[in-house]
Amino acid sequence: MTIALHGSGISRGIAVGAAHIVQRNALDVLEYAVAQADVEPEVERLSAAVEEAKQGLRDLRGRIPANTPADIAAFLDTHLLMLEDPTLTDEPKRLLRERRCNAEWALKMQRDAIVSAFDLINDAYLRARRDDVDHVINRILRILLNHAPAKHESGEGSLEGLILVADDLTPADALLMQQHGIVGFVTECGGPTSHTAIIARSLGLPGVVGVPHARQYLLDGESLVLDGDEGVVLGDADARILTYYRARRDERQKRVSRLAKLKRAPAVTADGVPIELLANVELQTDFDLARAAGARGVGLYRTEFLYMNRLDVPSEAEHFALYKRLIEAFRQQPVTIRTLDLGADKQSGASLSARAHAANPALGMRAVRLGLKEPELSLPQLRAIVRASALGNVRLMIPMLSHVDEVVQMRGLIQGIQAEYAAQGISHDPNMPIGGMLEVPAAVAFADGFARTLDFLSIGTNDLIQYAVAIDRVNEEVSYLYDPLNPGVVRLIDMAIRHANAAACPIAMCGEMAGDPRYTRLLLGLGLRCFSVHPSLLLEVKQTITESQIAPLRKIVGRALRTAEIGRFRELMASLMARPV
Ligand code: PEP
Ligand code: MG
């Protein structure tokens, strides 16, 4: 009988194949005392296991194929660095000597201490980094406990076409899976922001994570269907279901190759209106994806990741090195570097204010507010952006503006740096465009005022919706209200675009709404002419653009903006979403 299990779909796509169950989480750690004479040999045993774990990762790193995205190696490097970190390896030795406990016990105690420190942090991204600690310590524990490697680790036997089902997977596992021809994976643990999830997305492997007891419900060798779009796993699928999903998988593959043909095509509507299609990027893998999808530049470079997982403040040199890579990747195309947007859902160890737990963090000290309050956090970044402006077509973008005074203050900081560099003969572009994000309803209502002080605007719908509808974007209980088609939200977007157009200020949208092809016609009808979207969605949005005609869209959208009848509004939205007009 077919069973359906649910989790989080972390990378899109459908996989059909036989289940390969990996039973390996039975890490029963025996806790015992060692005699004084055995303490040093036990320390030696621990050191040897750490060395073996490092060697295993180094070997894997050496086998990464040349065409693998660059950031994937970086994830393995993170695990290697953790194996060099004294907190992880020296501290257990100290515990072992002090308490005369066995190596596994000492390691487990240290893991518990680190993990409980992570647990105190109420942040999904940082909690996911706790998984990295677990992965690294389990790697050492498995060596100490003489656990046989799983089949995909040892490379014995063919795993071609199988779907891996495991308790958890490390970034190293994700790489090995691709090398062995595994077509998808299911895990009991893990979340959408884990490094494994990021790697799976980069490799294009469909996966569903967070499926409790998957290995108890599913049987080794049975037919599985994995739907990474919906986060569903079907076990013991019958012939009818398999035929249905194979057809969907093949249809999807055909669609992907059809879309690939659009890469070089211009983004122009069917009635000849040119549209600017830019990319939202964060990791180096996104740079490659964006260029491969034919993006005409970067409309949003999120820089928060540089501040995460650390307690110190990133230096000007670190920022500059990253921006240089970004500019080199996009040559003379525009790249929009967003200044730090820390706080609320993006916590950093580097800032005391962001770390403090405010009752309403989304309404608290975040983004530009934090940058202005703690210049020691933002100045190295601003200095690096100003320097980087000499290298290409750099635009600086300020997040979460709520008052034009914030623009004035930011401009003051930037002009101070430019004057200093000019005096020192350090090259930079004194006319670097400075833009801002419209994410706060008050800023949208005063967009014409912002347009006078800024060179460009970009609508951040992810935050704009949360503030407009008064819901916390990470609170699942109210997520049903998070709706880009709330008529009030649609009117706010209209207001932002009209104000910007009236002030002749270029306006883009870089929130998720811009990358959802279901909303492309609505946005075209609202007058949006610049979309910044995740590279994986760029071609779908382009396809919709090329099939659309502006004039009829404007009429439908005009009616929707005028009506106060929710039924009528919904009908008009449905007609925009259903077909090209
Ligand atoms: C937004 O709020 O729409 C946006 C693009 O910024 P972020 O998702 O990084 O907050
Ligand atoms: Mg935002």
Side-chain angles (χ1 to χ4, degrees):
M1 192 185 70
T2 302
I3 58 162
L5 305 177
H6 296 264
S8 307
I10 54 161
S11 46
R12 300 174 73 188
I14 289 171
V16 179
H20 173 63
I21 313 272
V22 180
Q23 295 289 1
R24 70 164 180 197
N25 72 330
L27 285 177
D28 281 335
V29 171
L30 280 183
E31 299 172 1
Y32 56 87
V34 291
Q36 184 61 50
D38 294 331
V39 165
E40 283 315 310
E42 192 66 2
V43 169
E44 274 308 302
R45 194 166 74 87
L46 179 55
S47 300
V50 171
E51 273 316 306
E52 194 178 329
K54 276 190 216 165
Q55 198 48 49
L57 281 182
R58 281 195 206 112
D59 289 348
L60 177 62
R61 204 185 179 299
R63 293 203 306 271
I64 295 178
N67 60 354
T68 308
D71 279 23
I72 289 184
F75 285 118
L76 289 192
D77 288 341
T78 307
H79 282 199
L80 268 167
L81 275 176
M82 287 168 82
L83 281 167
E84 311 271 358
D85 188 334
T87 327
L88 218 94
T89 51
D90 287 1
E91 186 59 17
K93 287 181 200 158
R94 196 190 61 74
L95 285 170
L96 198 163
R97 288 194 176 105
E98 190 182 283
R99 305 193 187 179
R100 284 202 268 129
C101 52
N102 60 320
E104 292 88 339
W105 189 6
L107 208 51
K108 184 170 165 265
M109 275 193 278
Q110 183 58 2
R111 175 185 54 197
D112 293 347
I114 300 176
V115 163
S116 55
F118 274 101
D119 281 343
L120 291 177
I121 304 168
N122 181 22
D123 171 67
Y125 184 86
L126 280 184
R127 265 203 311 278
R129 303 292 74 81
R130 183 187 68 177
D131 294 347
D132 289 315
V133 175
D134 254 339
H135 291 157
V136 169
I137 291 197
N138 284 345
R139 184 171 274 273
I140 311 172
L141 278 175
R142 266 191 218 105
I143 295 168
L144 284 170
L145 295 167
N146 281 326
H147 269 234
K151 212 167 157 188
H152 73 281
E153 291 169 316
S154 68
E156 284 162 23
S158 168
L159 297 170
E160 193 76 33
L162 299 183
I163 294 176
L164 205 82
V165 184
D167 56 328
D168 191 9
L169 290 169
T170 65
D173 289 323
L175 259 177
L176 284 168
M177 287 192 304
Q178 195 215 21
Q179 291 174 12
H180 291 304
I182 286 170
V183 293
F185 65 93
V186 182
T187 66
E188 295 176 356
C189 317
T193 52
S194 65
H195 279 167
T196 313
I198 294 170
I199 289 191
R201 273 194 288 271
S202 294
L203 296 173
L205 267 181
V208 179
V209 301
V211 183
H213 313 297
R215 289 169 307 156
Q216 283 166 27
Y217 291 119
L218 304 173
L219 298 174
D220 201 52
E222 76 179 354
S223 297
L224 281 196
V225 169
L226 186 155
D227 185 339
D229 298 327
E230 302 294 334
V232 173
V233 183
L234 302 175
D236 193 18
D238 63 29
R240 221 161 30 115
I241 294 176
L242 288 175
T243 310
Y244 169 76
Y245 274 98
R246 281 196 186 111
R248 268 189 61 189
R249 180 194 60 192
D250 297 347
E251 176 49 40
R252 192 190 163 86
Q253 272 159 7
K254 272 192 221 138
R255 195 158 51 87
V256 170
S257 29
R258 268 200 309 272
L259 284 177
K261 297 202 180 102
L262 278 176
K263 273 179 201 166
R264 305 269 159 260
V268 179
T269 61
D271 49 355
V273 178
I275 306 294
E276 206 178 345
L277 259 182
L278 306 174
N280 292 351
V281 296
E282 186 163 355
L283 301 173
Q284 180 109 21
T285 40
D286 300 328
F287 302 177
D288 302 336
L289 289 175
R291 274 195 327 230
R296 292 304 165 98
V298 171
L300 167 65
Y301 178 42
R302 289 186 169 98
T303 56
E304 294 72 57
F305 76 97
L306 186 57
Y307 291 83
M308 289 171 170
N309 288 329
R310 59 192 291 170
L311 293 169
D312 59 336
V313 175
S315 66
E316 179 178 340
E318 278 177 84
H319 280 287
F320 183 75
L322 278 180
Y323 306 153
K324 187 163 175 279
R325 254 191 270 158
L326 173 79
I327 296 161
E328 280 165 0
F330 290 90
R331 297 196 192 92
Q332 287 309 308
Q333 292 179 330
V335 293
T336 312
I337 304 175
R338 181 173 75 180
T339 56
L340 61 90
D341 186 18
L342 293 170
D345 59 321
K346 308 176 190 99
Q347 292 290 338
S348 153
S351 154
L352 288 173
S353 308
R355 239 182 324 178
H357 286 282
N360 283 310
L363 303 180
M365 190 46 70
R366 56 167 297 202
V368 65
R369 303 169 184 184
L370 183 63
L372 288 171
K373 177 170 179 247
E374 297 191 22
E376 63 276 21
L377 270 185
S378 54
L379 278 178
Q381 171 168 53
L382 295 179
R383 297 173 72 85
I385 299 176
V386 172
R387 263 178 65 203
S389 69
L391 307 179
N393 191 348
V394 174
R395 299 153 22 117
L396 180 149
M397 183 160 75
I398 310 167
M400 231 201 104
L401 290 164
S402 49
H403 198 288
V404 280
D405 284 352
E406 291 159 338
V407 180
V408 174
Q409 290 178 57
M410 285 295 278
R411 275 202 185 271
L413 292 177
I414 296 162
Q415 281 160 359
I417 297 166
Q418 288 171 331
E420 183 192 322
Y421 283 172
Q424 292 172 4
I426 297 176
S427 53
H428 63 280
D429 172 8
N431 300 316
M432 171 179 71
I434 297 175
M437 289 186 69
L438 297 177
E439 306 182 86
V440 176
V444 170
F446 196 55
D448 47 348
F450 280 93
R452 283 167 177 252
T453 57
L454 289 163
D455 301 310
F456 63 93
L457 296 167
S458 187
I459 309 172
T461 45
N462 306 344
D463 276 311
L464 181 60
I465 297 171
Q466 91 162 334
Y467 295 127
V469 186
I471 51 151
D472 183 343
R473 82 193 228 197
V474 295
N475 182 342
E476 277 171 20
E477 269 190 310
V478 285
S479 61
Y480 69 97
L481 286 169
Y482 194 92
D483 179 14
L485 297 186
N486 177 310
V489 170
V490 174
R491 285 188 183 181
L492 277 174
I493 296 170
D494 170 60
M495 189 189 284
I497 296 172
R498 273 189 298 108
H499 277 322
N501 288 346
C505 179
I507 184 162
M509 179 182 283
C510 62
E512 301 302 311
M513 187 180 181
D516 189 329
R518 287 174 305 170
Y519 306 132
T520 308
R521 288 181 203 106
L522 166 64
L523 296 173
L524 288 172
L526 282 166
L528 189 74
R529 298 292 176 262
C530 179
F531 294 63
S532 188
V533 312
H534 190 271
S536 62
L537 298 159
L538 195 136
L539 291 174
E540 281 185 62
V541 172
K542 194 192 262 189
Q543 187 175 42
T544 311
I545 289 170
T546 56
E547 291 168 355
S548 302
Q549 304 227 18
I550 297 286
L553 290 177
R554 285 210 84 102
K555 270 197 202 131
I556 300 178
V557 172
R559 277 180 220 134
L561 288 169
R562 283 189 301 273
T563 186
E565 233 281 31
I566 187 68
R568 177 75 181 131
F569 179 85
R570 287 206 177 106
E571 258 172 44
L572 291 163
M573 289 299 119
S575 75
L576 287 171
M577 290 169 79
R579 65 198 156 80
V581 183

